[in-house]
Amino acid sequence: MSLRLGDIAPDFSADTTLGHINFHEFIGDSWVLLFSHPADFTPVCTTELGKTALLNGEFQKRHVKPIAISVDSLESHNKWVPDIEEVNSVKMNFPIIADPEKKVALLYDMIHPNASEKATVRSVFVIGPDKKIKLTLTYPASTGRNFTEILRVIDSLQLTANYQVATPADWVNGDDVIIVPAVSNEDAVAKFPKGFTSVKPYLRKTPQPNL
C-alpha cells in the first residue's frame, strides 16, 4: 500500500556511506529529505546529489537532513562519491543509503514496475520531526528534480506547521500568506498584528508572520 501524507514514515535500519543508521533515530528532532535515485554512475543522479551537497547551508538553516537512496550496494556508492564531488566541485556531506535487496525501496513504494522493474523512480519524501510524511513528489528517471522548489515547499511546510496560514500559488519565502478560513476575523486581528487584507470573505492576505 502506498504511503500517504500524514502517515508515519516507516522505520528501517540500513548501511549508508556515513555509517549504519536507524531511520527514526536519524530523524531525531529534525526534518528529513529522503530522496531516491535510479542508479549510481548515471548522469542526472550525479548532478542531483551534487546539487544537494552544494545546498548544504540552505538545508542546515531549515534544520533539514538530506539522505539519498538507490538499490545499489555500499561499495558502488563509495566508488561513485568521488565522481559526484569532482563533477560538482563539492564535498559530499550527507549519506546515501545502500539498498541492494530493495527492502527500503519497496517499503516506500519507490519502484514503479510500469516505469522500471529494477530501478527506483525519483521519489521525494519530506518528513517532519514527528516522523510523519509531510510531502511526496515523484519524478521520472529522465527528469532531474528542481531543488529550488523542494526548498520552497519545505519553507511552506515549516511556516504552516507553526501558524494558521496557507501559502498561495507561486509563493516564496517573504511573500504574503493566506489566513486559513478556520480563523475568524476577530481572532485574526489578535493572531496577525501586522494586519490583513480581505480580498474575498474566504481569502485574507497577511504579511508572513515569522519575519
Side-chain angles (χ1 to χ4, degrees), residues 26-27 29-35 52 55-67 93-95 124-129 147 150-155 157-158:
F26 174 81
I27 296 171
D29 59 0
S30 299
W31 291 69
V32 164
L33 171 67
L34 170 65
F35 65 108
T52 305
L55 290 170
N56 178 55
E58 294 299 319
F59 287 118
Q60 285 192 349
K61 281 195 303 187
R62 295 164 173 81
H63 306 289
V64 175
K65 297 177 180 176
I67 185 166
N93 45 42
F94 63 92
V124 177
F125 294 88
V126 175
I127 300 161
F147 285 86
I150 289 172
L151 289 171
R152 188 191 78 89
V153 294
I154 289 171
D155 285 339
L157 289 168
Q158 294 182 340

Side-chain angles (χ1 to χ4, degrees), residues 49-205:
L49 271 70
K51 184 65 172 182
T52 305
L54 287 165
L55 290 170
N56 178 55
E58 294 299 319
F59 287 118
Q60 285 192 349
K61 281 195 303 187
R62 295 164 173 81
H63 306 289
V64 175
K65 297 177 180 176
I67 185 166
I69 178 173
S70 77
V71 295
D72 298 287
S73 68
L74 185 60
E75 180 183 11
S76 174
H77 286 342
N78 285 328
K79 288 180 178 178
W80 181 40
V81 163
D83 283 4
I84 299 171
E85 295 179 333
E86 177 187 352
V87 168
N88 299 280
S89 300
V90 69
K91 188 75 175 173
M92 278 293 287
N93 45 42
F94 63 92
I96 310 172
I97 297 166
D99 190 31
E101 296 179 359
K102 303 183 177 66
K103 291 180 179 178
V104 180
L106 293 173
L107 191 62
Y108 278 79
D109 196 28
M110 292 173 170
I111 295 177
H112 296 191
N114 288 332
S116 171
E117 293 185 357
K118 296 181 179 179
T120 52
V121 291
R122 298 188 194 281
S123 297
V124 177
F125 294 88
V126 175
I127 300 161
D130 58 2
K131 315 297 187 290
K132 291 183 179 180
I133 296 170
K134 308 298 184 183
L135 173 88
T136 63
L137 294 168
T138 305
Y139 292 70
S142 58
T143 302
R145 282 161 279 214
N146 184 329
F147 285 86
T148 301
E149 169 64 3
I150 289 172
L151 289 171
R152 188 191 78 89
V153 294
I154 289 171
D155 285 339
S156 175
L157 289 168
Q158 294 182 340
L159 175 65
T160 58
N162 293 310
Y163 297 91
Q164 289 182 288
V165 297
T167 54
D170 295 332
W171 174 89
V172 293
N173 192 40
D175 286 353
D176 287 353
V177 296
I178 295 170
I179 300 171
V180 298
V183 177
S184 68
N185 283 340
E186 293 75 17
D187 288 343
V189 171
K191 289 177 178 289
F192 303 100
K194 296 176 183 177
F196 61 90
T197 302
S198 293
V199 181
K200 291 287 185 181
Y202 55 85
L203 175 53
R204 297 163 296 170
K205 292 186 175 182

